[in-house]
Amino acid sequence: MPPIDQITTFASNNPVGTAVICVFALILLVLAYIALRAAYRAGATTFRRFAANRPAEDILTIVAACIATGVSAQGMWRFSGDVLGFDGPLRLLLFAFIEVAVITSAVRARRNMRENYSAGIDGIAVWVLTGLSAVLSSLDARSMAEAIFRLAAPLVAAWLWERGMAIERHRITGRSRIKWRFTPERAMVRLGLAEVSDRTVTEVDAHRRLTRVALAAKRARALREAGASDRRMRVALAKLDRVMDQAVEHTGLAVDPARQEALLSQIGALYNTSALIDLRPPVPWEPEQEEEQQQQRAGGPHALPPVGDTPGRSYPDDDEEPEMMHQSAPVVDTAQRAALLRAARAYWDKQIERRFVPRAADIARETGLSLATAREYRALWKLEPRAHAILEAAYREHGIVDTGTFPAIVVPDGSDAESERAEPAAPVLSMNGASPSA
């Protein structure tokens, strides 16, 4: 650059030329300012349109993919010159045709994904063209390290594009493409090393110990009812006593009402497994009219409706005493509760032998159980075959549905057998309207 004295001398000797140069310089500065301002506005608009609402990982993915594509294009530039012999404008026009095809396929695949939620054939074309570009650019490598680098760069770009597509697909549809059947989590659950739910270790251990107690009790009861030998009964009772001791020691069963209720619920479910075969749930795809016609063909117009579908099922017993309705369950230990349940079961079996289905209030009054507990176990026991047959006979003969609120007419005991032989037995209604028909 000439010093200031030379510029001053030139300006004094050529005033017109100096003025023209100053005017042109001012025009160039104005044009440069306008161009920079337009470029800034275009960049800001582009940023607001494409980058402002995008997360940072999407922007970084696009930048990294552009860099990887540039590396691949530089390899194709060398390949087109060294292998194909292109030079000058021809080399400039033809060296990056595969990279342009990759970008075109990627844009089409993204459009297909937004419209059809799938990249389609264009997504496959991205990987095929990327692999082709990687192989061709690596063929002109001068060393093994350069060949590996040429192979890796396009594959990195394709992988970043694929992950960006997966993230956007999940954002649009709210779900991933597939659910793997074999995952580390499923394998750990399958092997018993992990839990599906979020239970703590203490809860899992307590549940397993209570389940062992319930299963041991069911096993001992089954052996006793089958008339097993004394040795097998002693083994079963010893196992029941052992698991019960462990449950009391490790789960706080003796002082925890929630654990006690859980154990009794498991025992109640295991003891009444045979009642499941008598259930008649409604067919979900059968119309209501066809179901009524089928019931009428099976047992006449007074066929028993499905169990658990009785009209009075959700209403309290009308003739239960008010003090029993508001009576709270007494706090008893496990042994006392088990004794009350055995007494209630004995009372139930005795009344069923007399063809009399007792109410929940009768069970609570006779045995001392709470009304809520009596209702719960009555709902289970009435599904047994003998009680169910009494209720079904009541419904077919008299059209009476079991609600547990009918007045009881006591059947005479066996002490009055002579009077029964003297005159024929008349149909006697139980509290549910059951008739002692043979």
Side-chain angles (χ1 to χ4, degrees):
M1 182 176 181
I4 188 65
D5 52 352
Q6 294 180 3
I7 296 175
T8 305
T9 303
F10 179 80
S12 59
N13 294 332
N14 302 287
V16 178
T18 303
V20 172
I21 291 174
C22 291
V23 171
F24 276 106
L26 181 62
I27 294 174
L28 290 176
L29 288 176
V30 172
L31 293 176
Y33 171 76
I34 295 174
L36 290 176
R37 184 178 179 182
Y40 173 78
R41 289 184 176 180
T45 303
T46 304
F47 178 80
R48 285 194 300 269
R49 181 179 301 176
F50 296 102
N53 298 326
R54 291 177 179 268
E57 59 269 18
D58 287 356
I59 300 175
L60 294 176
T61 298
I62 295 174
V63 172
C66 291
I67 295 174
T69 305
V71 173
S72 176
Q74 191 269 341
M76 290 300 299
W77 171 269
R78 290 179 53 183
F79 180 85
S80 62
D82 299 340
V83 178
L84 300 180
F86 292 163
D87 194 9
L90 185 63
R91 183 180 184 183
L92 182 64
L93 290 175
L94 301 180
F95 82 99
F97 72 97
I98 298 181
E99 281 68 23
V100 174
V102 169
I103 295 174
T104 304
S105 299
V107 172
R108 288 177 177 174
R110 184 176 294 274
R111 180 178 301 174
N112 290 335
M113 188 273 300
R114 290 176 178 175
E115 296 177 356
N116 304 319
Y117 308 116
S118 176
I121 191 65
D122 295 303
I124 301 176
V126 170
W127 283 99
V128 172
L129 295 175
T130 300
L132 179 61
S133 175
V135 172
L136 293 178
S137 60
S138 64
L139 291 177
D140 192 34
R142 297 181 177 87
S143 63
M144 181 62 67
E146 184 180 355
I148 295 174
F149 179 76
R150 298 292 185 190
L151 285 172
L155 298 179
V156 169
W159 170 253
L160 293 174
W161 167 81
E162 178 67 26
R163 291 307 305 158
M165 289 277 291
I167 294 173
E168 188 168 357
R169 184 189 301 110
H170 180 72
R171 187 185 301 123
I172 294 175
T173 62
R175 55 183 176 84
S176 58
R177 180 185 297 178
I178 59 175
K179 298 293 184 182
W180 292 100
R181 295 187 61 184
F182 300 100
T183 60
E185 293 82 3
R186 295 195 179 194
M188 299 291 281
V189 172
R190 183 71 175 178
L191 295 175
L193 302 178
E195 284 287 331
V196 179
S197 60
D198 55 352
R199 296 182 300 177
T200 62
V201 178
T202 304
E203 294 174 348
V204 173
D205 181 69
H207 175 75
R208 290 177 179 173
R209 293 184 184 276
L210 295 181
T211 303
R212 292 194 191 107
V213 174
L215 292 175
K218 179 185 178 182
R219 173 67 176 170
R221 179 178 180 178
L223 290 176
R224 185 183 64 184
E225 293 179 353
S229 61
D230 294 339
R231 185 185 64 81
R232 297 184 65 185
M233 283 300 303
R234 285 196 301 269
V235 172
L237 292 176
K239 181 179 180 181
L240 175 60
D241 186 66
R242 183 175 64 256
V243 295
M244 187 66 180
D245 292 342
Q246 295 175 357
V248 171
E249 179 181 359
H250 296 283
T251 65
L253 182 61
V255 295
D256 193 344
R259 300 279 167 79
Q260 296 171 8
E261 291 292 337
L263 176 60
L264 292 177
S265 299
Q266 291 190 35
I267 293 176
L270 292 174
Y271 281 9
N272 296 277
T273 306
S274 59
L276 296 176
I277 61 177
D278 297 321
L279 294 179
R280 291 184 295 174
V283 182
W285 51 81
E286 184 177 3
E288 185 177 357
Q289 296 180 356
E290 295 182 5
E291 183 178 353
E292 294 178 356
Q293 295 175 2
Q294 183 179 1
Q295 291 180 358
Q296 292 178 2
R297 289 194 301 268
H302 298 293
L304 187 65
V307 176
D309 196 25
T310 56
R313 177 174 175 269
S314 60
Y315 298 97
D317 296 347
D318 297 335
D319 55 347
E320 291 173 356
E321 289 76 0
E323 59 273 12
M324 295 190 68
M325 290 291 296
H326 302 283
Q327 180 183 3
S328 59
V331 180
V332 296
D333 57 13
T334 305
Q336 293 176 353
R337 183 182 178 89
L340 293 176
L341 289 177
R342 287 195 296 270
R345 182 65 192 189
Y347 172 74
W348 174 271
D349 292 338
K350 181 180 179 181
Q351 300 302 321
I352 293 298
E353 289 291 338
R354 301 172 58 194
R355 301 190 61 79
F356 178 87
V357 182
R359 305 172 301 170
D362 298 332
I363 299 174
R365 185 186 304 107
E366 294 292 335
T367 61
L369 277 177
S370 64
L371 185 58
T373 306
R375 284 176 176 171
E376 177 182 356
Y377 282 92
R378 183 186 185 276
L380 293 174
W381 294 340
K382 76 175 185 178
L383 301 178
E384 297 177 354
R386 298 179 64 184
H388 187 73
I390 296 175
L391 299 178
E392 187 173 4
Y395 188 84
R396 288 182 177 176
E397 295 179 9
H398 306 284
I400 301 176
V401 180
D402 172 49
T403 62
T405 62
F406 301 117
I409 301 177
V410 180
V411 179
D413 294 332
S415 59
D416 200 10
E418 295 181 357
S419 61
E420 291 182 4
R421 286 194 298 269
E423 55 185 20
V428 180
L429 293 178
S430 75
M431 57 174 288
N432 304 93
S435 174
S437 57

